């Protein structure tokens, strides 16, 4: 049972978020929103500003300008309302799993009975209940990851933030996690999903936000973005010819008719130049004796869109270093509660 249950769909909004460290502005006015019952893909290179944005939502950092709103009102962070799975995991390896999850649930507003019930509920749902009285470091990496997810969800939060949740999971455990994420979405929760594994983002997220150098480079409905990026583009593949060879032919023999956009191992992406006729392009393939294996509308992958949005340049390492602050679960709990277990084993 959630201690912050909403009776209607929620909406989380970030408006004009700016943040500086040591006089250097890292976030330059971040704007996006996500509603309950849907998942938002939060994407960007390492150091682009994703983690800083998440920490502002979590109230670990305060924005220099802008605001975070929930249902149109300033969002006041409460530990039980947000479940965060950081990329750098933060549970205690030498402590009993059940002890840790009950502790975290109580910190997030549950009484002992609720905490114990939810601990067992989530360990059972994630198929690790048999380890409840084991120490975390005795489990495999995949099972440790499932325990980390149980810790994220133990208080049934309304807002779930997942950073690289599939790291270390085999296909069977990945499917369990997929099912759990879909259940959270179906229950009307807000899900923010950050990952470099684009296939998972495409699977779960209706909307995406791409952050680059502390700015929103691209945002919106993923299907509409794909449609826009693929407009007028054709995917071309030839029989008995690698895409690199076909690309060179297109550049040499079709330069007056088409523009080469990109290529991968399967096809070359092109766009017919203005005032050129598609049938004349196809006729030239025939004249050159090139048999086409496929020719049709190109739907870009999310990876293609991401690369197009952020470019190929490296993000400065100094920005990455400014964001390199610990991400353990304990950092997001009330300060007076820290230290119950002492130092980590």
């Amino acid at each position: 049972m959630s201690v912050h249950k909403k009776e209607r769909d929620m909406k989380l909004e970030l408006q004009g978020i700016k943040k500086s460290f040591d006089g250097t502005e890292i976030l330059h006015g971040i704007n996006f929103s996500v509603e309950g019952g849907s998942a938002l893909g939060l994407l960007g290179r390492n150091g682009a500003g994703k983690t800083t944005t998440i920490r502002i939502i979590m109230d670990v950092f305060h924005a220099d300008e802008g605001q975070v709103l929930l249902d149109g009102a300033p969002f006041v962070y409460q530990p039980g309302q947000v479940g965060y799975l950081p990329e750098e995991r933060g549970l205690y390896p030498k402590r009993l799993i059940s002890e840790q999850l009950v502790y975290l649930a109580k910190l997030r507003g549950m009484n002992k009975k609720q905490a114990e019930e939810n601990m067992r509920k989530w360990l059972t749902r994630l198929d690790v209940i048999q380890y409840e009285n084991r120490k975390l470091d005795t489990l495999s990496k995949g099972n440790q990851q499932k325990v980390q997810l149980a810790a994220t969800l133990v208080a049934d939060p309304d807002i779930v933030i997942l950073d690289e949740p599939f790291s270390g999971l085999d296909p069977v455990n990945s499917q369990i996690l997929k099912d759990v994420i879909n259940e959270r979405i179906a229950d009307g929760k807000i899900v923010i999903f950050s990952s470099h594994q684009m296939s998972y983002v495409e699977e779960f997220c209706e909307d995406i936000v791409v952050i680059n150098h502390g700015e929103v480079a691209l945002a919106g409905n993923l299907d509409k973005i794909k449609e826009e990026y693929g407009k007028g583009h054709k995917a071309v593949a030839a029989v008995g010819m690698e895409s690199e060879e076909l690309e060179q032919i297109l550049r040499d023999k079709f330069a007056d008719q088409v523009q080469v956009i990109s290529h991968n191992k399967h096809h070359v992406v092109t766009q017919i130049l203005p005032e050129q006729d598609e049938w004349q392009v196809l006729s030239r393939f025939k004249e050159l004796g090139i048999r086409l294996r496929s020719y049709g509308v190109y739907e870009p992958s999310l990876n293609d869109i991401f690369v197009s949005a952020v470019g190929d340049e490296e993000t400065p390492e100094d920005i990455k270093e400014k964001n390199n602050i610990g991400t353990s679960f304990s950092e997001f709990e009330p300060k007076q509660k820290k230290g119950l277990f002492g130092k980590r084993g």
Side-chain angles (χ1 to χ4, degrees), residues 49-110:
K50 303 187 306 297
T51 303
T52 300
T53 300
I54 289 171
R55 289 173 183 164
I56 288 172
I57 296 172
M58 300 285 297
D59 202 33
V60 177
F61 299 151
H62 296 295
D64 299 329
E65 295 183 30
Q67 57 185 341
V68 180
L69 304 177
L70 184 64
D71 294 336
F75 176 49
V76 179
Y77 172 77
Q78 301 177 58
Q81 196 170 13
V82 181
Y84 176 45
L85 178 69
E87 183 176 6
E88 297 297 328
R89 313 313 184 202
L91 291 179
Y92 297 85
K94 299 295 184 181
R95 292 287 175 175
L96 296 181
I97 289 165
S98 58
E99 180 185 30
Q100 297 191 63
L101 266 61
V102 168
Y103 167 61
L104 290 170
K106 289 169 68 177
L107 283 185
R108 295 167 187 172
M110 289 186 159

Side-chain angles (χ1 to χ4, degrees), residues 84-86 89-91 136 143-153 329:
Y84 176 45
L85 178 69
R89 313 313 184 202
L91 291 179
L136 186 68
N143 283 328
Q144 288 187 35
Q145 175 72 337
K146 290 197 288 183
V147 171
Q148 296 275 0
L149 182 62
T152 301
L153 301 175
F329 281 100

Side-chain angles (χ1 to χ4, degrees), residues 314-337:
E314 291 297 325
T315 303
E317 285 299 312
D318 58 345
I319 295 179
K320 183 177 179 181
E321 288 297 323
K322 289 178 185 295
N323 284 328
N324 188 21
I325 299 173
T327 53
S328 69
F329 281 100
S330 58
E331 291 184 48
F332 304 113
E333 308 302 345
K335 301 300 183 187
Q336 68 271 21
K337 297 289 187 177

Side-chain angles (χ1 to χ4, degrees), residues 111-158:
N111 61 41
K112 184 178 180 182
K113 182 180 179 182
Q114 289 175 320
E116 290 176 345
E117 288 176 352
N118 270 28
M119 176 271 293
R120 293 189 177 94
K121 180 185 82 170
W122 282 110
L123 291 182
T124 299
R125 178 65 188 87
L126 292 164
D127 195 26
V128 284
I129 186 63
Q130 64 271 34
Y131 306 123
E132 65 174 312
N133 292 316
R134 294 264 297 271
K135 294 179 180 179
L136 186 68
D137 64 357
T138 65
L139 275 58
S140 67
K141 184 176 180 181
N143 283 328
Q144 288 187 35
Q145 175 72 337
K146 290 197 288 183
V147 171
Q148 296 275 0
L149 182 62
T152 301
L153 301 175
V154 69
D156 285 345
D158 290 322

